[in-house]
Amino acid sequence: MANIYHLLIPSLIILSNFLPSHQNHFATTPPLPVLPLPSYSQLKWQQREIIFFHHFGVNTFTDSEWGTGKESPKIFNPKGLNTAQWVDVAVQTGVSLSILTAKHHDGFCLWPSKYTDHSVIGSPLQNGHGDVVKEFANAARARGVDIGLYLSPWDRHDYRYGKTIDYNEYYMAQLQELLNKYGSVSEIWFDGAKGSNAPNMSYYFNDWFAMVGELQSTINIFSDAGPGVRWVGNEKGFAGTTCWSTINRTSLSIGNGSIVNYLNTGDPKGTDWLPAECDVSIRPGWFWHKSESPKRLSDLLQIYYNSVGRNCVLLLNVPPNTTGLISANDIQRLKEFKSAINTIFSKNLAQLCSVKASSIRGGKDSGFGPESVLDNDHLWTYWAPKDDGKKDHWIEITAANEEVRFNVVRIQEAIGLGQRIKKHEVYVDGKRVAKGTTVGYKKLHRLENGVVSGRRVRIRIISSSGIPLISSVGLHFDPFWHPNGR
Ligand SMILES: *[C@@H]1O[C@H](CO)[C@@H](O)[C@H](O)[C@H]1NC(C)=O
Ligand SMILES: *[C@@H]1O[C@H](CO)[C@@H](O)[C@H](O)[C@H]1NC(C)=O
Ligand SMILES: *[C@@H]1O[C@H](CO)[C@@H](O)[C@H](O)[C@H]1NC(C)=O
Ligand SMILES: *[C@@H]1O[C@H](CO)[C@@H](O)[C@H](O)[C@H]1NC(C)=O
């Protein structure tokens, strides 16, 4: 080896005297990723931030949450059914994906399945010629909203349930109907609920997932164990304050109560990209009940900060009523919710400031400068520091004239190159106002002590795998935030 070097080095020096320097000719390359990475469909899902669930079926008409399977299809009679109204509500709320319960635990099917008569076929809806899944899919497509479907594995009606092969054949036949007949489906939702009367019933998840992947190329499969999106481990809509999109799928199993904490926080060493979805209902129940009302705006905002603001997607259930429409009080609450989010986040006070950083990959004008955190691209333009082994990376926002006054700090990582940040802190004029662990796609700090004013806001990245890459930073004022009643 030493001999070869001796021969090469002099000739390299000579060559470099004649060749133009390549150093400044080409743009600085992006850094290598930190694995695992999201798939195309997972990235798209993440950017939706809020998606809808619609629980609708015989339970809507029996005023219950779990049907028995003995309901007569005749009770399913939404006289004013208008799925376009559901989708309009989604559009007004800024929601680009809505998931419908094609079948819940009671086994009643909202589409005319060939494999059972326990469906809309036996209902008064269009004298047995109705198809809620079709109407929903068509209304959504016409308004540019994507659809998702839930097909409950637990079936309290079907005679095949409990006979493993027969029931898995039935279930897969229905999956094929749903994923072949209604166009593109962006998410499919599986849970592991099982009847206690059928202890030996096994669900052939691997067969189901293989079939889903075959029939829909860009779909995300949701379950306790993914493989596209994972459950967050509770139905409150709250992710862990630490929330990694990475986890070990080999440690997960569907319907296993002992993994809920692991699901809630993810795993910094996880080998699979499997981000969490936070499911919660706008009302106490999942189905519509006359006696129930929507949650307060302050509760919905808390859910938003604890889901979207903790690197997750919020799956908000909005149940249609017995008429077949979203109720006026839910619509009103969603308008307030959307308007509050706009009020808080449409103005970024950092945009009036200058920004500098501890270092810049490739130097000034490399495209990796800190000004990237103030543009509108929250994924592919980002600040990158030099990879020089230094540990204390920071970005600082300085007000030009007046102090900035804010109570929310937003930080976003360039997750297209992996989730990296493990620990970070926020300082205003040298005083720490917030600290946290993971950031991921979006981290929102609602400041514990309320509003702060200052000239210099510094975000310190104390620990990360590889160099931290920050795609966006925001300083916001949230008029709905009153910690401790102040
Ligand atoms: C479940 O399987 C076990 C073991 O194969 C068997 O002894 C038992 O009878 C089965 N139970 C039912 C309800 O089929
Ligand atoms: C549930 O998860 C725990 C922790 O990963 C694991 O030890 C256990 O075997 C799992 N149980 C089942 C039934 O898969
Ligand atoms: C996840 O897998 C990685 C790589 O094999 C391992 O280092 C880590 O300890 C695992 N996490 C858990 C909680 O077992
Ligand atoms: C369902 O909601 C609509 C408003 O969107 C309302 O007109 C209708 O009366 C409601 N139905 C019931 C049973 O409350």
Side-chain angles (χ1 to χ4, degrees):
M1 282 305 269
N3 287 337
I4 296 169
Y5 273 96
H6 281 130
L7 289 172
L8 278 178
I9 289 167
S11 51
L12 280 177
I13 290 167
I14 295 161
L15 268 178
S16 68
N17 288 337
F18 292 96
L19 293 174
S21 163
H22 284 179
Q23 227 170 353
N24 300 317
H25 268 65
F26 304 118
T28 307
T29 52
L32 291 175
V34 169
L35 299 184
L37 297 183
S39 71
Y40 179 87
S41 300
Q42 286 171 325
L43 259 191
K44 184 165 182 195
W45 166 90
Q46 185 92 49
Q47 291 172 281
R48 298 179 190 274
E49 300 199 352
I50 305 176
I51 62 182
F52 271 174
F53 217 157
H54 297 302
H55 276 65
F56 190 50
V58 286
N59 295 345
T60 312
F61 298 86
T62 57
D63 202 15
S64 61
E65 284 286 298
W66 277 12
T68 60
K70 299 198 166 63
E71 296 80 10
S72 163
K74 291 196 171 61
I75 62 170
F76 184 78
N77 190 14
K79 293 201 179 81
L81 178 69
N82 181 5
T83 54
Q85 186 247 18
W86 312 356
V87 182
D88 287 339
V89 175
V91 170
Q92 283 155 21
T93 313
V95 162
S96 64
L97 168 63
S98 299
I99 304 177
L100 173 64
T101 53
K103 179 181 92 169
H104 203 252
H105 306 332
D106 53 73
F108 178 80
C109 301
L110 292 183
W111 81 102
S113 172
K114 281 197 288 198
Y115 306 102
T116 181
D117 59 3
H118 197 58
S119 78
V120 283
I121 294 170
S123 81
L125 183 71
Q126 294 174 33
N127 292 317
H129 296 289
D131 183 343
V132 182
V133 175
K134 184 163 127 195
E135 285 189 33
F136 169 69
N138 289 346
R141 195 161 300 116
R143 287 160 183 76
V145 169
D146 294 325
I147 65 160
L149 295 171
Y150 166 63
L151 180 68
S152 170
W154 188 19
D155 191 317
R156 303 183 79 182
H157 176 84
D158 198 77
Y159 64 94
R160 285 156 283 207
Y161 193 81
K163 299 186 195 112
T164 292
I165 305 260
D166 290 357
Y167 182 72
N168 275 282
E169 285 180 356
Y170 173 63
Y171 189 87
M172 285 193 82
Q174 295 204 317
L175 263 187
Q176 289 169 66
E177 288 186 303
L178 289 173
L179 299 180
N180 272 327
K181 279 175 56 180
Y182 301 102
S184 171
V185 177
S186 299
E187 182 165 338
I188 185 141
W189 222 80
F190 295 108
D191 60 13
K194 246 178 215 179
S196 54
N197 60 337
N200 293 350
M201 179 73 219
S202 22
Y203 299 147
Y204 289 177
F205 284 113
N206 288 338
D207 299 49
W208 304 355
F209 293 175
M211 179 60 71
V212 170
E214 177 179 17
L215 299 179
Q216 295 278 340
S217 62
T218 58
I219 201 165
N220 283 307
I221 299 178
F222 168 102
S223 83
D224 290 2
V229 176
R230 76 175 197 257
W231 185 43
V232 78
N234 63 60
E235 293 186 341
K236 292 188 298 197
F238 290 5
T241 49
T242 293
C243 189
W244 291 93
S245 293
T246 52
I247 204 160
N248 291 334
R249 280 201 67 212
T250 50
S251 304
L252 304 178
S253 41
I254 301 173
N256 184 345
S258 65
I259 58 170
V260 290
N261 292 333
Y262 189 54
L263 289 173
N264 201 237
T265 60
D267 186 342
K269 296 200 169 75
T271 53
D272 302 288
W273 187 274
L274 191 58
E277 186 170 278
C278 303
D279 57 321
V280 66
S281 184
I282 192 171
R283 287 157 168 252
W286 292 94
F287 286 88
W288 181 83
H289 306 289
K290 198 179 175 57
S291 60
E292 292 185 352
S293 317
K295 291 183 161 68
R296 295 178 304 181
L297 174 62
S298 57
D299 294 331
L300 288 182
L301 285 172
Q302 191 66 40
I303 288 169
Y304 179 83
Y305 279 98
N306 290 352
S307 55
V308 176
R310 291 179 180 171
N311 184 34
C312 292
V313 165
L314 168 59
L315 173 57
L316 184 61
N317 177 63
V318 183
N321 63 25
T322 50
T323 309
L325 295 169
I326 310 273
S327 300
N329 51 357
D330 293 322
I331 297 175
Q332 178 58 28
R333 191 51 41 82
L334 288 167
K335 272 191 183 145
E336 291 165 15
F337 182 45
K338 174 66 176 158
S339 155
I341 291 170
N342 282 349
T343 301
I344 302 164
F345 295 104
S346 61
K347 191 167 174 195
N348 180 3
L349 299 160
Q351 233 125 31
L352 309 167
C353 304
S354 61
V355 54
K356 62 180 185 179
S358 48
S359 68
I360 300 173
R361 178 182 178 83
K364 196 168 156 290
D365 302 327
S366 66
F368 296 104
E371 61 284 350
S372 293
V373 306
L374 298 181
D375 68 17
N376 289 325
D377 184 321
H378 296 175
L379 222 40
W380 295 110
T381 70
Y382 47 87
W383 163 64
K386 282 204 171 91
D387 196 358
D388 55 7
K390 288 220 180 75
K391 289 275 183 302
D392 192 13
H393 300 290
W394 52 260
I395 193 161
E396 188 171 272
I397 290 156
T398 309
N401 305 308
E402 287 166 48
E403 293 191 328
V404 276
R405 203 172 158 272
F406 60 95
N407 55 7
V408 172
V409 179
R410 174 175 55 82
I411 312 171
Q412 301 190 235
E413 268 186 86
I415 57 164
L417 291 163
Q419 187 180 349
R420 298 161 177 248
I421 298 175
K422 295 178 178 168
K423 205 170 169 204
H424 67 281
E425 293 180 338
V426 183
Y427 291 80
V428 175
D429 291 336
K431 186 167 168 269
R432 192 172 73 191
V433 297
K435 60 177 178 166
T437 52
T438 49
V439 172
Y441 176 68
K442 186 177 275 192
K443 173 72 188 184
L444 298 173
H445 287 282
R446 241 180 172 184
L447 301 184
E448 274 168 30
N449 293 319
V451 179
V452 293
S453 298
R455 294 286 308 272
R456 282 183 304 114
V457 181
R458 180 177 285 206
I459 295 168
R460 278 183 66 196
I461 311 305
I462 292 164
S463 169
S464 61
S465 1
I467 49 169
L469 305 175
I470 297 185
S471 61
S472 187
V473 167
L475 305 177
H476 303 278
F477 180 71
D478 176 348
F480 308 92
W481 178 227
H482 307 289
N484 314 316
R486 256 174 287 196

